[in-house]
Amino acid sequence: MNIIFAGTPEFAATALAALINTEHRIVAVYTQPDRKAGRGQKLTASAVKQLALEHDLPVYQPLHFKASTEEGLAAQQQLAELNADVMVVAAYGLILPQVVLDTPKYGCLNIHGSLLPRWRGAAPIQRAIAAADAETGVTIMKMAAGLDTGDMMLKTYCPILASDTSATLHDKLAIQGAEAIVDVLRSEQRLIDALAAREVQDESLTVYAHKLNKSEAKVDWSQAAADIDRNIRAFNPWPVAFTPLDDSQNLRIWTCALSDVQTIPSDAVAGQIIAIDSHGVHVLCGDQQCICLTSLQWPGAKAFNALQISQSNKLHLGHIFA
């Protein structure tokens, strides 16, 4: 089949790589315009664009597909002229109007990193970890105009481990998503069958995964240790959990674990350092349990592991994080 692929980050690039290795023909790759990135703010191509160029695939980077502008209409026309059988979309980052969704012969299929209708929206992986979900997965759906509202064609399942961060879970789901879309597109008949058997989402079960913002990554030490642990893991690798060092500087918290410290001073308060050892920094939380911070980053420095933290003497027993 002739396939258009639309995506931008690594999650999408994993799926594109899998499709490249099939017998299908990738007639075009759509991705976000190059963005400035890194300390030097150099214009950088997306992971999807880089992969597409490595395989000599034609790349398109329209700003939008809005019919209200000449540029949007031109992008619509350009896509229509590709005569694709199907368009695969994964973390593309642009809203596709109904005219685009209807352009390919079999429509547009989306690879979404959750078990829909739970966690529709921008941050399904992070929200699943923070909410203490036991499992997540990938849903392949036929795209509709609403936000992740399309009919479901295939689901895969993935347990969320106590050690999972958003980074580790992202990588697992990227692989599952790649395998799932290759399965659905194994043949034209397989696609037809999957479309015929698709399932409408139960709107009563909808939960939205709202976009992350930096402010919510501040640790609230009054929370239970288990909640803080999940939030730290959910915000790795972005925006990264933090706690203030003073009025202008923050200490970034990359990794953690639930602590086994039992002896807690009777006058200790939430946010107080109870112990510092080779395992990390043990901090009291609101439920009188401790969490162990195992990788910390001071401003202008690289992240320290537990041993480096204990040797640095940057933190001291009794210090109270705000």
Side-chain angles (χ1 to χ4, degrees):
M1 288 184 287
N2 290 336
I3 297 174
I4 295 171
F5 186 89
T8 299
E10 288 290 345
F11 183 89
T14 303
L16 175 59
L19 289 170
I20 288 171
N21 288 327
T22 67
E23 295 181 354
H24 300 302
R25 180 170 174 249
I26 311 296
V27 296
V29 171
Y30 280 75
T31 191
Q32 286 274 333
D34 297 359
R35 308 288 189 198
K36 291 181 179 180
R39 289 187 176 181
Q41 290 292 284
K42 288 183 61 177
L43 210 57
T44 304
S46 71
V48 163
K49 180 179 179 178
Q50 293 177 43
L51 180 62
L53 294 178
E54 288 173 13
H55 292 270
D56 297 319
L57 299 175
V59 174
Y60 300 87
Q61 297 176 277
L63 293 175
H64 57 77
F65 289 93
K66 297 176 182 177
S68 58
T69 69
E70 289 186 10
E71 184 179 37
L73 287 172
Q76 290 183 16
Q77 180 62 32
Q78 190 176 55
L79 189 144
E81 291 172 355
L82 295 168
N83 293 316
D85 293 304
V86 67
M87 182 170 175
V88 174
V89 181
Y92 180 24
L94 283 188
I95 295 173
L96 302 180
Q98 191 64 50
V99 64
V100 171
L101 300 180
D102 293 337
T103 295
K105 179 180 178 181
Y106 294 110
C108 298
L109 308 186
N110 181 245
I111 307 170
H112 185 75
S114 81
L115 299 174
L116 291 172
R118 186 168 179 80
W119 302 126
R120 292 177 180 174
I125 296 173
Q126 296 90 336
R127 299 303 181 192
I129 293 175
D133 288 3
E135 66 176 358
T136 184
V138 166
T139 304
I140 305 296
M141 64 176 165
K142 172 92 181 293
M143 291 181 71
L147 178 62
D148 299 327
T149 58
D151 294 348
M152 302 176 294
M153 300 167 61
L154 178 68
K155 285 185 177 181
T156 67
Y157 296 83
C158 179
I160 299 177
L161 306 180
S163 58
D164 269 325
T165 65
S166 288
T168 62
L169 195 55
H170 166 281
D171 292 349
K172 295 175 189 178
L173 295 183
I175 293 170
Q176 284 197 2
E179 293 172 345
I181 196 64
V182 168
D183 179 5
V184 168
L185 298 177
R186 189 166 62 244
S187 67
E188 188 169 7
Q189 188 56 54
R190 166 73 172 116
L191 172 58
I192 292 170
D193 292 342
L195 286 168
R198 65 186 188 270
E199 177 186 356
V200 175
Q201 294 187 40
D202 184 344
E203 292 295 327
S204 69
L205 300 177
T206 298
V207 181
Y208 283 97
H210 296 288
K211 186 178 180 180
L212 300 177
N213 64 71
K214 291 183 178 180
S215 63
E216 63 182 313
K218 180 183 178 182
V219 175
D220 178 356
W221 296 107
S222 69
Q223 291 184 328
D227 293 334
I228 294 173
D229 169 65
R230 286 193 298 270
N231 284 333
I232 290 172
R233 291 187 288 112
F235 294 132
N236 177 348
W238 194 90
V240 186
F242 68 91
T243 191
L245 284 171
D246 52 41
D247 291 339
S248 62
Q249 294 185 310
N250 295 321
L251 179 65
R252 304 178 90 188
I253 305 171
W254 283 95
T255 60
C256 64
L258 295 177
S259 171
D260 58 3
V261 167
Q262 300 295 323
T263 304
I264 299 173
S266 59
D267 60 347
V269 298
Q272 183 171 330
I273 296 177
I274 303 301
I276 301 175
D277 56 27
S278 60
H279 298 291
V281 180
H282 303 262
V283 183
L284 185 64
C285 303
D287 61 350
Q288 293 300 296
Q289 301 297 311
C290 286
I291 190 168
C292 183
L293 311 181
T294 56
S295 179
L296 299 174
Q297 184 178 13
W298 277 263
K302 294 182 178 180
F304 283 20
N305 61 31
L307 181 60
Q308 291 169 325
I309 294 167
S310 64
Q311 294 174 339
S312 70
N313 293 318
K314 286 178 174 287
L315 296 173
H316 305 282
L317 292 180
H319 176 84
I320 300 172
F321 292 120

